[in-house]
Amino acid sequence: MGARSMVPAAVTLFLFLSFVGLCNGGITGNYVRQVGPTADMPKEAFPPPPGFNTPEQVHITQGDHGGRGVIVSWVTPAMRHPNVVTYWAEGAKLKDKQKAHSKIYSYRYFTYSSGYIHHATIEALEYDTKYFYELGRGNGTRRFSFTTPPKVGPDVPYTFGIMGDLGQTSASIQTLEHYMANPKGQTVLFAGDLSYADDHPYHDNERWDTWGRFVEKSAAYQPWIWTAGNHELDFAPELEEYTPFKPYLNRYHVPYRASQSTSPLWYSIKRASAHIIVLSSYSAYGKYTPQYTWLKQELPKVNRAETPWLIVLVHSPWYNSYNYHYMEGETMRVMFESWFVQSKVDIVFAGHVHAYERSERISNIKFNITNGQSAPVKDPSAPVYITIGDGGNIEGLATSYTEPQPSYSAYREASFGHAILEIKNRTHAHYTWHRNQDNTPVAADSLWLYNRYYYPVEEPSPWE
Ligand SMILES: [Fe+2]
């Protein structure tokens, strides 16, 4: 190439790099999409199943600490009974069918009265086995299935789907169907903000019912690991509703006691090769509080020889460069970030901001009031922070960023989507983010993640 053609080439390269945002250290996706809020689907879009008192809003989550338990939850609209789930392993004989009974809950919210909400815990299942289960009776009988995870172990491959801030709009439907079109996902890590019922007049709790029907097509067949977001609070003194998380805690049960937690809002599970910690952005976490005390005791219990991958779910992100909910996660970051670095947390998934963002491995734990060291720095022991609040809810996308893109932000884009985390072994996991508008196998952002405990070297950027 001659000297005369070098100059335009250099200019073109500079313009390209400016365009994709590399000059600021990170990338802002330039995908052009429709913006503005999408209305919730009409309630009729999520009808109850036919038949009298037919079980609906069926969902499952892990029911113990190690993966041999399942909590099966459902609603019977008219009568309390039957309150039993019948289950059997694939290929089992008729006589080998087993039963578990539910505990039944119901609640009132302003003028709304819930149906009968059932939670049945099934324990001591075989690992890595397909089970069928049946609910209801007569013409209201419904059958579902799930597969238990493999026994916990350091090199057990396992694939998680990640969604957050889902809601119940046409975009929410697109996100869920896009996730389900990918056969890889075995369990959903949900980063909080489920139904957005509270965006309707009087927190219309029928929207909790429609949401339960909406997600059933996935949540009845694979566990969703729940995190509470701000839209789960339903704290409304103007409606004389003073109990935070009332609809959420009645409807979504988690195995918190199995991890010695005293609240369903924070807990842990082990699944395949991952230890997953769920935290609550909207419960006290200052020193001496129950959540603080629990997390302090929990982190040293993580056994990386058994579960190499340490993953945290929390609703409000600690690193976020959008002009939405900016720094709302800051006080929790200040409390817990040094613990995460010490414990070599691999990934933190958050929601809340209705967009996508992935951070570099950075920490900001040196500041002590007088030393002025208050900027994030590269840190090989730090987690990657991923904001995945782009499920597609009624409030619309977060489309405004802080400029320039901070150096801690590796990739950000205001599009709806979901993510997939494929754990391969103790050292490697393949992570992909899938924009709703793309075909199923297309990844809009992807990265080979290296385990912080077994292979703490820097991951090459997929964008360089
Ligand atoms: Fe939120």
Side-chain angles (χ1 to χ4, degrees):
M1 191 181 282
R4 281 167 64 190
S5 59
M6 287 290 282
V7 176
V11 170
T12 308
L13 181 65
F14 173 78
L15 287 174
F16 172 73
L17 290 177
S18 304
F19 178 64
V20 298
L22 275 182
C23 291
N24 298 324
I27 295 196
T28 299
N30 56 15
Y31 184 84
V32 178
R33 86 260 344 136
Q34 183 197 339
V35 294
T38 321
D40 271 351
M41 297 294 288
K43 288 178 186 172
E44 299 73 46
F46 309 111
F52 174 71
N53 202 39
T54 306
E56 57 170 89
Q57 305 172 50
V58 182
H59 53 94
I60 60 170
T61 194
Q62 187 160 317
D64 66 351
H65 203 228
R68 292 182 67 194
V70 170
I71 301 174
V72 180
S73 305
W74 71 96
V75 173
T76 48
M79 292 169 56
R80 293 171 63 84
H81 294 96
N83 69 327
V84 64
V85 50
T86 307
Y87 62 95
W88 63 95
E90 188 174 39
K93 298 197 176 76
L94 204 63
K95 66 176 177 55
D96 293 328
K97 285 190 176 181
Q98 290 181 279
K99 290 182 191 304
H101 286 84
S102 66
K103 288 189 178 157
I104 306 171
Y105 296 72
S106 61
Y107 72 94
R108 287 171 170 277
Y109 193 95
F110 193 52
T111 57
Y112 170 91
S113 294
S114 76
Y116 300 101
I117 304 167
H118 300 256
H119 300 286
T121 302
I122 301 174
E123 285 172 326
L125 296 165
E126 297 299 322
Y127 286 114
D128 210 4
T129 301
K130 183 170 183 181
Y131 284 87
F132 293 95
Y133 66 102
E134 225 167 56
L135 303 167
R137 69 162 69 108
N139 67 359
T141 304
R142 301 184 70 201
R143 182 181 291 188
F144 306 89
S145 64
F146 59 80
T147 301
T148 50
K151 188 175 191 303
V152 165
D155 292 301
V156 179
Y158 203 74
T159 300
F160 294 96
I162 308 104
M163 285 181 274
D165 302 68
L166 188 56
Q168 45 192 305
T169 70
S170 55
S172 321
I173 292 174
Q174 218 179 4
T175 303
L176 183 57
E177 306 229 315
H178 198 204
Y179 166 65
M180 291 176 66
N182 184 336
K184 287 180 184 167
Q186 295 172 287
T187 290
V188 169
L189 306 178
F190 194 81
D193 281 0
L194 285 62
S195 74
Y196 288 75
D198 60 345
D199 275 346
H200 292 271
Y202 314 113
H203 294 227
D204 183 358
N205 269 232
E206 287 182 18
R207 283 288 175 188
W208 276 106
D209 291 316
T210 52
W211 197 81
R213 293 177 200 138
F214 161 48
V215 300
E216 183 188 86
K217 65 177 88 166
S218 171
Y221 297 91
Q222 59 176 250
W224 285 40
I225 307 305
W226 301 109
T227 311
N230 53 307
H231 287 279
E232 277 64 74
L233 272 161
D234 283 308
F235 174 68
E238 71 279 14
L239 305 178
E240 297 188 17
E241 289 295 347
Y242 303 106
T243 310
F245 302 107
K246 191 206 268 185
Y248 173 72
L249 292 178
N250 274 286
R251 290 167 182 273
Y252 293 91
H253 278 202
V254 298
Y256 65 98
R257 288 195 185 91
S259 55
Q260 289 76 52
S261 168
T262 51
S263 166
L265 299 169
W266 57 88
Y267 63 101
S268 76
I269 58 163
K270 297 184 290 187
R271 198 164 182 88
S273 43
H275 189 116
I276 295 156
I277 292 177
V278 174
L279 296 178
S280 173
S281 298
Y282 307 101
S283 305
Y285 45 77
K287 196 166 184 181
Y288 315 119
T289 61
Q291 184 169 207
Y292 176 101
T293 306
W294 177 81
L295 182 61
K296 192 169 187 195
Q297 290 168 353
E298 170 71 9
L299 285 167
K301 289 184 198 167
V302 178
N303 178 3
R304 302 302 268 271
E306 186 185 45
T307 50
W309 294 90
L310 179 51
I311 299 167
V312 175
L313 303 177
V314 64
H315 186 62
S316 190
W318 296 359
Y319 287 96
N320 158 35
S321 73
Y322 288 83
N323 292 323
Y324 298 80
H325 304 303
Y326 189 61
M327 287 182 75
E328 283 183 21
E330 186 67 2
T331 51
M332 190 187 242
R333 183 189 70 75
V334 169
M335 290 308 298
F336 294 148
E337 187 180 13
S338 61
W339 293 359
F340 281 18
V341 174
Q342 273 163 25
S343 307
K344 300 185 191 299
V345 170
D346 291 293
I347 318 162
V348 178
F349 289 110
H352 202 38
V353 177
H354 300 159
Y356 173 72
E357 186 162 26
R358 172 173 59 79
S359 81
E360 302 286 355
R361 292 199 183 274
I362 37 88
S363 69
N364 186 0
I365 52 178
K366 297 254 165 64
F367 184 61
N368 69 355
I369 305 290
T370 56
N371 66 9
Q373 295 182 43
S374 57
V377 292
K378 283 216 166 191
D379 187 336
S381 294
V384 168
Y385 294 89
I386 290 169
T387 302
I388 186 92
D390 56 347
N393 61 70
I394 191 172
E395 296 174 354
L397 279 168
T399 51
S400 155
Y401 319 94
T402 59
E403 298 286 3
Q405 185 166 6
S407 57
Y408 64 74
S409 172
Y411 187 90
R412 60 183 185 180
E413 182 179 316
S415 292
F416 293 134
H418 72 271
I420 297 279
L421 178 70
E422 289 176 71
I423 296 175
K424 303 290 188 186
N425 53 35
R426 76 185 68 193
T427 55
H428 285 67
H430 193 239
Y431 166 80
T432 49
W433 173 63
H434 300 266
R435 188 192 285 136
N436 279 1
Q437 290 82 353
D438 295 335
N439 288 331
T440 306
V442 175
D445 183 33
S446 68
L447 187 70
W448 277 99
L449 285 164
Y450 301 157
N451 186 273
R452 288 303 94 189
Y453 187 84
Y454 287 100
Y455 192 46
V457 304
E458 189 172 350
E459 292 99 342
S461 166
W463 296 96
E464 281 164 11

